[in-house]
Amino acid sequence: MISLLQKIFTWWNRDTFGTRLKTLISGRLVGQDSFGNKYYENKKGERWVIYANEIDASKIPVEWYSWIHHTPNKIQNEHDLKKYSWQKPHQPNLTGTKEAYYPNKDKDEPEKKYKSWLN
């Protein structure tokens, strides 16, 4: 019962009841990416994504980014692109967390007179 209420009233737990209803009524599945996200489109040309796990907009791969933003390109109909050996796998956005990148974090800096609220 609680999971049903969460699905109806919260948007951060994947898709809401309204999104699920819109998808069932007017959505046409266009494809799925390597993360398991599903991409839909309706007859009006509206496009949306239903995320597989947690909602993170940075998890939209580059081959689907142009499609979701209506940006035409030469790879629009070919969503399974070959990845090069130098391309790294997706990493979540770590901004605002303890794992975030700070360029001077490991250098010997003079002791500050205050403490940062992130540490």
Side-chain angles (χ1 to χ4, degrees):
M1 183 66 178
I2 292 177
S3 64
L4 177 65
L5 290 175
Q6 284 180 336
K7 183 154 282 295
I8 293 172
F9 294 110
T10 59
W11 58 266
W12 54 87
N13 293 321
R14 295 183 50 183
D15 55 335
T16 60
F17 179 73
T19 304
R20 179 65 63 173
L21 191 62
K22 178 181 177 178
T23 303
L24 289 173
I25 292 173
S26 66
R28 179 180 63 90
L29 180 65
V30 176
Q32 187 172 354
D33 64 16
S34 59
F35 298 116
N37 302 329
K38 294 181 180 178
Y39 298 88
Y40 293 91
E41 185 175 24
N42 64 9
K43 291 180 182 178
K44 296 179 185 177
E46 296 172 332
R47 298 174 177 179
W48 65 94
V49 59
I50 295 183
Y51 295 94
N53 296 319
E54 71 178 67
I55 295 176
D56 183 6
S58 69
K59 284 190 176 177
I60 296 179
V62 71
E63 56 266 20
W64 284 100
Y65 182 85
S66 60
W67 179 83
I68 199 96
H69 291 284
H70 299 276
T71 306
N73 61 18
K74 58 185 172 184
I75 61 168
Q76 187 169 1
N77 295 326
E78 187 179 321
H79 295 295
D80 294 324
L81 296 177
K82 294 179 183 176
K83 301 287 184 180
Y84 296 101
S85 60
W86 50 265
Q87 287 178 303
K88 295 183 179 181
H90 175 266
Q91 293 180 348
N93 186 353
L94 300 175
T95 304
T97 65
K98 289 184 178 183
E99 290 82 28
Y101 172 73
Y102 297 104
N104 297 325
K105 190 173 187 177
D106 296 331
K107 292 185 178 180
D108 294 327
E109 292 183 19
E111 187 65 31
K112 296 180 180 177
K113 294 182 180 179
Y114 63 92
K115 299 246 181 199
S116 173
W117 60 273
L118 288 176
N119 295 334

